[in-house]
Amino acid sequence: MQQRLVDRHPEVPADQLIAQMVPPPTFDEVSFASYIPDPAEPSQAAAVAKAEQFAAKVNALHKAAGKKSLFGKKKPVSGAGIYLDGGFGVGKTHLLASTFHAAPEPKSFGTFGELTNLVGALGFVNAVERLSANSVLCIDEFELDDPGDTTLVSRLLTELAARGVSIAATSNTLPQQLGEGRFAAQDFLREIKKLGALFETVRVDGPDYRHRDLPPAPDPTAPEVLAERAAATPGSTLDDFSELLDHLSTLHPSRYGALIHGVSAVFLSDVRPATDQAVALRVVVLADRLYDAGIPVTVSGAKLDQIFSAEMLEGGYRKKYLRAISRLLALSRFEVKHAATA
């Protein structure tokens, strides 16, 4: 019988949230040495050097934090910060994961959304206590979606840095510009500036590697063919797109990773553009989890580059939606090639 994501109702205990804060499988084996800078983009080689220097500093600070003074107390050491800023698919996450791998235990890696979900699940004080022993906290795709997140993350990172935790982050928005177009950022300028002050900003330029020398979005699969391919793919799921969106609304985003755990491929029928912002943002989170897990995606209905309406793409979350499209296209191309070689 064909599996469906809508039939899954995963539970993720709060005490597992910290333990699962590691780089996605795609970045299990990456290192600074395995990052290949584009010769036409000198900022990439410079970013590798900066990230390596930062990782060395993390190790030195963590070692210093463990030393005691003459009076038997640990020396107060503030954490360092690095902020990798650039467009989609230029290797920022590769460098962030490399930084994580080069840092001493304990350490944590997660997306911005996963971090805010963690704080929501554990509570602010508990989250600070659990993360304060870290040598580094790596935050991928740093975003500020609302005023509450701005204040929350500012407090969290300021407290962690004061306790000696170094912070590494990636984004496609400079720290001073976080929140622009989404809410009255000027009302929270003090918090945003405080966040920016934690980091040394390092620019990473270049074209999206996921789109280099690749064709445009593949044409959607015919509905009957989609069902046949899903039935012929062990471990796959087949869902009606609208039904899946309804199901996602019943799950906390922190469960989306568990929702797709163990799935070999995702097939979606009757895909249509998301026109509601709340729905579109859930699609973004699901796309991130699918991309992290490297799960191929095949659809019928609209093309994946049309999964968000024109109105959504013109709004304040434009960069987020474009990132999701970039990742879904990469997954759809993987599925096409996989099927062609099967």
Side-chain angles (χ1 to χ4, degrees):
M1 183 176 178
Q2 182 65 58
Q3 296 185 77
R4 302 191 307 166
L5 293 177
V6 296
D7 295 327
R8 295 183 167 205
H9 303 274
E11 295 289 340
V12 182
D15 59 1
Q16 292 184 13
L17 294 178
I18 290 280
Q20 67 187 27
M21 289 189 70
V22 296
T26 310
F27 299 98
D28 274 348
E29 306 295 331
V30 300
S31 66
F32 296 121
S34 66
Y35 183 99
I36 309 300
D38 185 342
E41 301 290 348
S43 68
Q44 293 187 8
V48 175
K50 282 284 189 180
E52 284 189 287
Q53 293 168 13
F54 175 79
K57 189 173 185 179
V58 169
N59 278 270
L61 288 172
H62 192 64
K63 184 176 181 181
K67 292 182 178 180
K68 294 183 178 180
S69 69
L70 295 176
F71 301 101
K73 295 182 179 180
K74 289 186 177 181
K75 298 179 179 179
V77 178
S78 295
I82 189 171
Y83 191 97
L84 301 170
D85 174 71
F88 310 108
V90 295
K92 301 188 304 296
T93 302
H94 183 131
L95 292 177
L96 188 69
S98 299
T99 300
F100 174 88
H101 293 314
E105 296 281 0
K107 51 192 174 181
S108 300
F109 182 110
T111 65
F112 181 84
E114 287 172 328
L115 179 62
T116 56
N117 290 338
L118 175 75
V119 177
L122 298 181
F124 183 84
V125 173
N126 191 14
V128 170
E129 291 301 319
R130 294 288 296 271
L131 295 172
S132 61
N134 277 16
S135 66
V136 69
L137 171 62
C138 297
I139 309 170
D140 202 17
E141 300 297 349
F142 203 107
E143 291 284 355
L144 298 180
D145 295 340
D146 59 50
D149 281 349
T150 305
T151 304
L152 175 71
V153 173
S154 178
R155 285 181 57 211
L156 177 69
L157 299 190
T158 299
E159 290 205 26
L160 290 177
R163 296 189 184 205
V165 181
S166 294
I167 311 294
T170 73
S171 183
N172 47 54
T173 305
L174 290 171
Q176 310 93 290
Q177 298 172 328
L178 288 166
E180 283 188 358
R182 300 183 180 89
F183 54 84
Q186 65 274 15
D187 295 339
F188 302 90
L189 190 58
R190 178 178 58 84
E191 297 292 344
I192 292 172
K193 284 185 175 180
K194 187 188 298 183
L195 281 174
L198 293 174
F199 301 105
E200 175 188 4
T201 301
V202 176
R203 182 71 186 175
V204 190
D205 295 309
D208 187 338
Y209 79 90
R210 291 185 290 267
H211 291 173
R212 292 174 195 165
D213 303 317
L214 289 173
D219 290 329
T221 303
E224 63 277 9
V225 175
L226 188 80
E228 291 174 0
R229 290 181 61 182
T233 306
S236 69
T237 58
L238 172 62
D239 289 87
D240 175 83
F241 186 61
S242 296
E243 290 182 4
L244 178 59
L245 295 184
D246 290 340
H247 185 56
L248 292 180
S249 70
T250 70
L251 300 175
H252 191 278
S254 63
R255 301 182 187 180
Y256 288 11
L259 177 70
I260 61 171
H261 179 70
V263 173
S264 65
V266 166
F267 294 84
L268 299 174
S269 64
D270 198 22
V271 167
R272 58 190 65 189
T275 58
D276 178 83
Q277 183 169 281
V279 172
L281 289 173
R282 292 186 197 111
V283 173
V284 170
V285 177
L286 180 63
D288 286 343
R289 299 291 77 76
L290 289 168
Y291 185 76
D292 289 345
I295 298 175
V297 176
T298 306
V299 305
S300 68
K303 291 185 178 182
L304 282 170
D305 59 2
Q306 300 169 355
I307 201 167
F308 303 110
S309 69
E311 183 181 5
M312 292 291 101
L313 291 175
E314 291 171 359
Y317 294 100
R318 172 181 169 82
K319 289 183 178 180
K320 218 170 215 188
Y321 298 146
L322 290 176
R323 183 189 78 224
I325 289 172
S326 175
R327 291 183 164 186
L328 288 171
L329 289 182
L331 295 174
S332 70
R333 288 172 180 137
F334 176 82
E335 170 60 13
V336 169
K337 290 193 293 185
H338 178 74
T341 56

